[in-house]
Amino acid sequence: PTFIGYPRSGRAFHFYGLPVHEYPDLIKICGHGGPPVDPDHRDAAPTPATTGNVSKLIKKFFKGVATTPSIYESCMYTNSPDENPVLDRHPQFNNIIIGAGFSGHGFKLSPVIGKILCELALELSPSYDLTPFRVERFKTLKSAL
């Protein structure tokens, strides 16, 4: 079984779950979001800051399921300021195609992202309107671009 839950209010926390084949008899239940993680210390012991929201939702929605993790693994992903990816050409170097900042959603979107990046690389007209994903939407932010 898989599921996803979004809050009704303006809270940013949402969660999802799915089976995990590498851990038989367990289910992956995750919160999308959390504190920044140092990549050199990503396997640090869980804290209430990293597991609190997930434990609360397990207690509320999954009766009889332990609220403390059997296995804890943090996820690493890049976030863009608006949590949407950048799908565009580099503004100064036309031969560089950018596909980045997927805010944890890249894998789920990989078939269409691959198609879009291929079209950009081959200088074809994209099949979709890429306006919301252009790098220029961040032109007011200080950037190395």
Side-chain angles (χ1 to χ4, degrees):
T2 61
F3 60 87
I4 189 165
Y6 287 93
R8 289 187 207 171
S9 67
R11 292 175 291 149
F13 181 78
H14 60 275
F15 59 94
Y16 62 96
L18 55 144
V20 229
H21 299 289
E22 65 265 33
Y23 303 120
D25 301 322
L26 296 179
I27 187 168
K28 177 179 180 176
I29 300 176
C30 306
H32 183 74
V37 175
D38 181 335
D40 294 328
H41 300 98
R42 70 174 278 218
D43 292 325
T47 66
T50 57
T51 61
N53 284 329
V54 174
S55 294
K56 287 177 192 173
L57 81 89
I58 291 171
K59 186 175 183 176
K60 181 176 181 177
F61 295 108
F62 300 93
K63 303 298 179 206
V65 175
T67 59
T68 55
S70 300
I71 298 167
Y72 174 80
E73 296 175 341
S74 59
C75 295
M76 298 295 296
Y77 53 86
T78 56
N79 280 328
S80 65
D82 64 3
E83 295 193 3
N84 288 316
V86 175
L87 303 169
D88 204 352
R89 293 185 176 285
H90 190 283
Q92 294 175 356
F93 305 101
N94 199 39
N95 63 328
I96 297 175
I97 307 301
I98 302 170
F102 291 92
S103 304
H105 303 295
F107 179 78
K108 294 173 271 221
L109 302 171
S110 58
V112 72
I113 297 300
K115 178 180 181 178
I116 290 168
L117 295 176
C118 178
E119 290 169 344
L120 289 171
L122 295 174
E123 298 183 358
L124 301 173
S125 286
S127 299
Y128 305 94
D129 177 11
L130 299 182
T131 304
F133 309 109
R134 298 280 187 213
V135 72
E136 69 185 24
R137 73 186 193 269
F138 302 123
K139 64 184 169 191
T140 58
L141 297 177
K142 186 175 181 176
S143 168
L145 295 177

